[in-house]
């Protein structure tokens, strides 16, 4: 079948949901917009999958976390798309794209044409096989990217309650899943190659706080080494892992979080790439004027720091999506995108937020033996980043506002002494 649309979004995740809402706010007409998604459900807030969805009690379930509830906006249920005349083609993979002819071909054999295309294909979990280790297909090896993965993880946690798990990777997935496994009464060993967890963002001192907290919950850390192979029994189940340092760890289940890779293969050779993603300008427009890229796959200019970044975080997905729609629908009045990098996580009773850039000198502040502490990053005498655990809304707003101004800091001791009061006074 041949279908024509004015606007097409390929990918049906976070960015697609926020783009859809923005299209309706900007007055898209019925029948003009189509979203094609490989997933079988309408766009949802992906962060819920490693948090509320994994709770042993009263877990989050769809339709509860469809976009755009994560930003306190309307919840876009499947009916919402119908009511707004937006064609939601679910469970359908786009298998090829031709940006010259402005056509997409789906796995079901349909050809879809567009005037404007928004690429929102997100990222996929890096597989063990891609780092030379077999076993991903075992029934007790879990990844976490989409609803199907999360459902498998929940089922596996039920089977393994009272048992043990190995978590491979000390990044976002590793940390958030380890916390959920503990809450589900599973004893966790985390294995990762770095000398401390979340080493791309945390300072060693921040990491030590979280590692100590996790240890107090029974989590065992094996750092500075990685997986050598998974031991698989005759039933095809993993029973343990051999590590490169020679150790063996028994496990009833495995969770793998060793990074993500952007889903960009459809557009290789057709668009300009940067940082492993699709390069866009400050209107989210790619090297082909009719094609926009948003979310995890977009490499966009970050005015504040004068460089181009690809950020795999939900706030960037939401805001790049809204911006692209505004640029398409109101090109004359849409200003350049001016983004403040923002990341967060919630585990156990803990909750942190980070704004800006983690480069330069680190100045820690607050009570690292208590519940509220943080760190500033100062680069070239300017405050460029701030991490805060346990802050309130007022603190986080002040941090974001202050980092945007990049105030000059000549006395690092003042930052340490004043802590959050420093940004509250900026
Ligand atoms: P996605 O939300 O991944 O959506 C991409 C969609 O495109 C998917 O539905 C996919 O199936 C579809 N797709 C891909 N290729 C095709 C194709 N060829 N044809 C059709 N459809 C296709 N960030 C935070 O800041 N805070 C958090 O707490 C947080 N928690 C997270 C928890 C988990 C478990 C994960 C996996 C990520 C988390 N993130 C978090 C990151 C955040 O969710 C992503 O940055 C965000 O989802 C990116 O949005 P996106 O729309 O670009 O991609
Ligand atoms: P991350 O990049 O956050 O972390 C990957 C981790 O795996 C790092 O600790 C890395 O160590 C480690 N690693 C790399 N290679 C190996 C190896 N061979 N063996 C063991 N460990 C290894 O990716 P995740 O998988 O945690 O997250 C996937 C995606 O989901 C990301 O886009 C992330 O942003 C997103 N996400 C975001 C969340 C949030 O913002 N709160 C929550 C959940 C997911 P090293 O750093 O030393 O290389």
């Amino acid at each position: 079948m041949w279908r024509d649309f004015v606007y097409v979004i390929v990918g049906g995740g976070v960015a697609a949901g926020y783009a859809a809402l923005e299209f309706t706010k900007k007055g898209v007409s019925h029948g003009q917009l189509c979203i094609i998604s490989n997933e079988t459900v309408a766009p949802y807030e992906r962060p819920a999958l490693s948090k509320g969805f994994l709770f042993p009690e009263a877990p989050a379930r769809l339709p509860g976390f469809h976009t755009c509830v994560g930003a306190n906006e309307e919840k876009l249920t499947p009916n919402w798309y119908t009511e707004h005349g937006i064609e939601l083609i679910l469970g359908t993979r786009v298998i090829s794209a031709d940006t010259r002819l402005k056509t997409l071909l789906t796995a079901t054999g349909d050809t879809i044409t567009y005037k404007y295309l928004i690429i929102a294909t997100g990222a996929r979990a890096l597989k063990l096989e891609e780092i030379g280790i077999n076993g991903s297909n075992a029934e007790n090896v879990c990844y976490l990217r989409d609803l199907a993965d999360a459902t498998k993880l929940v089922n596996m946690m039920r089977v393994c309650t009272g048992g043990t798990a190995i978590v491979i990777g000390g990044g976002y997935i590793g940390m958030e899943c380890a916390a959920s496994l503990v809450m589900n009464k599973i004893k966790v060993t985390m294995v990762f190659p770095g000398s401390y967890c979340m080493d791309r963002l945390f300072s060693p001192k921040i990491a030590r706080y979280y590692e100590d907290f996790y240890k107090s919950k029974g989590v065992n850390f094996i750092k500075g080494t990685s997986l050598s192979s998974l031991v698989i029994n005759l039933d095809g189940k993993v029973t343990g892992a051999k590590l490169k340092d020679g150790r063996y760890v028994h496990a009833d289940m495995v969770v793998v979080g060793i990074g993500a890779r952007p889903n960009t293969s459809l557009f290789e050779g057709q668009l300009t790439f940067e940082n492993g993603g699709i390069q866009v300008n400050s209107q989210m427009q790619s090297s082909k004027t009719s094609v926009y890229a948003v979310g995890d796959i977009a490499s966009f200019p970050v005015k504040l720091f004068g460089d181009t970044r690809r950020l795999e975080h939900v706030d960037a997905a939401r805001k790049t999506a809204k911006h692209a729609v505004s640029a398409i629908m109101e090109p004359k009045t849409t200003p350049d995108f001016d983004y403040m990098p923002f990341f967060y996580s919630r585990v156990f009773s803990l909750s942190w937020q980070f704004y800006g850039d983690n480069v330069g000198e680190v100045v820690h502040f607050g009570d690292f033996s208590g519940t509220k502490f943080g760190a500033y990053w100062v680069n070239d005498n300017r405050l460029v980043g701030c991490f805060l655990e346990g802050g309130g809304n007022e603190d986080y707003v002040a941090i974001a506002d202050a980092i945007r101004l990049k105030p000059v800091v000549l006395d690092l001791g003042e930052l340490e002494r004043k802590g959050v009061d420093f940004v509250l006074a900026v």
Side-chain angles (χ1 to χ4, degrees):
M1 201 168 32
W2 190 277
R3 314 268 320 263
D4 299 321
F5 292 91
V6 182
Y7 312 106
V8 172
I9 303 172
V10 55
V14 170
Y18 281 78
L21 182 60
E22 193 66 12
F23 266 118
T24 61
K25 288 181 183 173
K26 301 283 184 206
V28 74
S29 302
H30 281 225
Q32 286 189 320
L33 171 62
C34 159
I35 298 174
I36 313 163
S37 178
N38 193 35
E39 289 192 77
T40 52
V41 291
Y44 57 87
E45 301 285 359
R46 200 164 301 282
L49 297 183
S50 54
K51 302 174 190 67
F53 196 87
L54 304 181
F55 286 175
E57 307 287 339
R61 290 290 179 267
L62 288 174
F65 59 97
H66 280 299
T67 54
C68 302
V69 291
N72 295 321
E73 296 211 57
E74 211 174 333
K75 183 163 72 183
L76 316 185
T77 60
N79 269 348
W80 179 91
Y81 292 89
T82 311
E83 283 161 12
H84 288 80
I86 297 170
E87 181 97 13
L88 197 52
I89 304 178
L90 297 175
T92 304
R93 173 169 288 279
V94 171
I95 55 168
S96 71
D98 187 326
T99 57
R100 204 174 41 85
L101 297 176
K102 299 188 180 182
T103 57
L104 302 171
L105 178 65
T106 70
T108 47
D110 295 325
T111 297
I112 292 172
T113 71
Y114 60 82
K115 190 157 173 256
Y116 295 97
L117 176 67
I118 298 182
I119 307 169
T121 43
R124 63 178 177 82
L126 181 67
K127 288 285 164 79
L128 286 175
E129 282 69 12
E130 296 174 74
I131 59 164
I133 291 162
N134 291 325
S136 283
N137 292 331
E139 65 173 81
N140 56 345
V141 172
C142 299
Y143 289 85
L144 186 51
R145 184 71 209 180
D146 59 20
L147 195 62
D149 295 337
T151 305
K152 175 176 174 179
L153 178 54
V154 165
N155 292 337
M156 200 44 60
M157 288 196 299
R158 283 204 190 115
V159 174
C160 295
T161 302
T164 58
I166 305 177
V167 171
I168 312 289
Y172 288 95
I173 291 285
M175 293 302 281
E176 293 187 7
C177 288
S180 295
L181 287 158
V182 169
M183 288 164 70
N184 282 276
K185 300 191 167 40
I186 295 167
K187 176 122 181 57
V188 177
T189 297
M190 291 188 73
V191 179
F192 51 85
S195 52
Y196 56 92
C197 68
M198 292 285 296
D199 56 3
R200 293 184 196 184
L201 180 66
F202 289 2
S203 67
K205 188 176 166 95
I206 295 173
R208 198 175 319 127
Y209 177 92
Y210 291 95
E211 288 182 13
D212 286 346
F213 193 95
Y214 276 55
K215 282 181 198 162
S216 76
K217 301 280 182 188
V219 174
N220 176 34
F221 285 87
I222 301 182
K223 303 185 277 187
T225 189
S226 56
L227 195 61
S228 164
S229 64
L230 292 174
V231 179
I232 301 175
N233 70 13
L234 291 174
D235 298 332
K237 278 175 86 170
V238 171
T239 53
K242 288 183 185 164
L243 307 184
K244 286 195 175 140
D245 68 1
R247 274 188 268 190
Y248 171 80
V249 184
H250 166 83
D252 298 312
M253 65 181 286
V254 179
V255 177
V256 184
I258 55 170
R261 294 291 178 268
N263 294 318
T264 51
S265 56
L266 289 173
F267 302 96
E268 268 154 30
Q270 302 192 61
L271 303 174
T272 303
F273 278 62
E274 195 175 13
N275 304 320
I278 295 167
Q279 185 195 63
V280 292
N281 62 18
S282 50
Q283 302 293 311
M284 301 299 134
Q285 193 174 35
S286 75
S287 50
K288 287 250 169 31
T289 50
S290 56
V291 180
Y292 292 69
V294 296
D296 282 4
I297 51 103
S299 186
F300 61 89
V302 177
K303 228 167 134 180
L304 191 62
F305 297 116
D307 56 14
T308 300
R309 299 184 185 194
R310 194 177 63 75
L311 301 175
E312 294 176 352
H313 292 279
V314 74
D315 183 65
R318 292 170 181 158
K319 289 179 178 157
T320 53
K322 282 179 158 186
H323 201 84
V325 174
S326 178
I328 291 169
M329 304 286 277
E330 295 169 351
K332 291 206 173 85
T333 53
T334 300
D336 283 350
F337 192 51
D338 187 5
Y339 185 67
M340 152 77 71
F342 163 55
F343 321 135
Y344 73 91
S345 184
R346 291 191 299 271
V347 286
F348 298 115
S349 55
L350 305 174
S351 169
W352 60 258
Q353 297 192 12
F354 173 85
Y355 294 84
D357 216 359
N358 61 332
V359 293
E361 275 197 78
V362 192
V363 180
H364 296 100
F365 63 81
D367 181 6
F368 275 73
S369 60
T371 54
K372 188 173 178 183
F373 60 86
Y376 289 115
W377 278 261
V378 178
N379 198 28
D380 291 335
N381 294 327
R382 285 187 174 273
L383 186 64
V384 293
C386 181
F387 172 96
L388 181 64
E389 164 63 47
N393 198 39
E394 192 195 352
D395 300 326
Y396 291 122
V397 169
I399 291 169
D401 290 348
I403 299 297
R404 214 166 246 300
L405 297 171
K406 291 193 288 180
V408 170
V409 176
L410 297 174
D411 176 10
L412 299 186
E414 188 192 0
L415 286 182
E416 188 181 347
R417 278 190 307 278
K418 289 193 170 163
V420 183
D421 286 342
F422 182 90
V423 287
L424 286 166
V426 168

